[in-house]
Structures are given as C-alpha cells and as structure tokens.
Amino acid sequence: MQFCIRKFVEEDRSEILSMMKVFYSSDAVFTNGSDEIFECDFNACVGNSPFVEGYVLTDNGKILGYAMLAKSFSTEFGKPCIWLEDLYLKPEFRGKGIIPKVIKYFEDNYKDCVLRLEVEDENSHAVHVYEKAGFSRLPYVEMKKDV
C-alpha cells in the first residue's frame, strides 16, 4: 500500500463531489446537503479560503476517500480548533486501518490544536474508531442558526 494524503486539486472535482453525495445521503450525516453546497465546499477547498481545507486519501494514485477540515479558534479550550468536518472512505476501503492514519496525519500537522468532530450516536463503528484514536465525547448539544 502506498497510502498518501494530499490536498484537493481541480482534477478531483468529479470524484470528490460524487463521494460527498454518497456521504451526505448516508445515515452517518444528519443533513443531506445539496449539489450547490457541495460545489461551494469544493470551490473553497481549491480556492484561497483560510477557513477550510480539503484532503484526498489515495493509494497508488487511486482515490480511497476524502476529508475536509474547518479552522477556528476555541475560546473554550484557549487554542486553535480544527474541525474534522467530513471524513469519508469508500465502502471497499473501510476497516483497513486508514482512518487512524488520517487522524495521525492531522495530529502531526496541527500541533497544539484541538481536533473536533461530530459523529452520529447510531454510527457505533465510527464512534468506536474515534474513541480508540483518543477522541472523547462532549456533554452538550450543538445548535445552529442560518443568518
């Protein structure tokens, strides 16, 4: 295996957008997203946005999945916060130890930050993988309002 993590490039657009549609229509995600949102997300990742980064997970050049990070500052923890917004692997590559490598990559590249993510309680396998990687549950509800 020649596992590699690299940033999104324009040539990834079609495959990444396809994976986003699958991910956001799955039980792993609370919302369904839309083609418009997926395009905006991808464009921000390949553009100059200081808030989001997109990563492609590959093996010998073959795309296995993708990840997207959002950057902020956590006043709760007093340091930069990296949100692991999306982490998707194609079904045939799950259970092969890839997710721990991805998390380790972000830990190594974002020192002295808080890594955060959201996961549906029903996604027990993902919860187990994240807990095994050192993530712990936070005891509150997240809320949002579109303005």
Side-chain angles (χ1 to χ4, degrees):
M1 181 179 212
Q2 190 67 31
F3 182 68
C4 177
I5 299 175
R6 63 167 174 79
K7 289 198 173 179
F8 285 8
V9 294
E10 185 59 42
E11 293 75 22
D12 299 322
R13 181 180 294 273
S14 176
E15 195 161 355
I16 297 296
L17 293 177
S18 176
M19 288 186 289
M20 285 178 175
K21 289 177 187 179
V22 172
F23 181 52
Y24 278 87
S25 66
S26 76
D27 292 338
V29 182
F30 179 71
T31 60
N32 294 106
S34 68
D35 290 344
E36 180 181 353
I37 291 171
F38 304 147
E39 287 283 346
C40 287
D41 291 347
F42 187 88
N43 290 340
C45 288
V46 297
N48 292 323
S49 174
F51 305 111
V52 65
E53 295 177 355
Y55 293 88
V56 179
L57 318 174
T58 68
D59 179 21
N60 291 318
K62 180 177 181 153
I63 295 178
L64 312 178
Y66 78 96
M68 289 196 320
L69 303 180
K71 299 176 181 182
S72 66
F73 186 88
S74 173
T75 58
E76 181 178 1
F77 299 107
K79 58 173 80 177
C81 181
I82 304 299
W83 280 91
L84 186 48
E85 288 285 339
D86 289 16
L87 181 51
Y88 175 80
L89 278 179
K90 294 177 181 176
E92 63 268 30
F93 303 113
R94 296 176 188 163
K96 299 186 184 300
I98 295 169
I99 297 302
K101 290 178 184 178
V102 174
I103 292 169
K104 175 83 168 100
Y105 176 87
F106 293 134
E107 289 172 348
D108 291 346
N109 285 280
Y110 292 96
K111 299 274 187 205
D112 199 32
C113 291
V114 175
L115 282 181
R116 293 184 74 168
L117 56 81
E118 296 174 352
V119 61
E120 296 295 322
D121 262 336
E122 296 80 21
N123 194 349
S124 58
H125 179 73
V127 170
H128 172 75
V129 169
Y130 297 140
E131 288 177 338
K132 192 173 175 183
F135 285 86
S136 58
R137 294 174 186 245
L138 295 173
Y140 47 79
V141 173
E142 183 171 334
M143 300 174 71
K144 78 165 193 93
K145 179 179 180 182
D146 291 329
V147 291

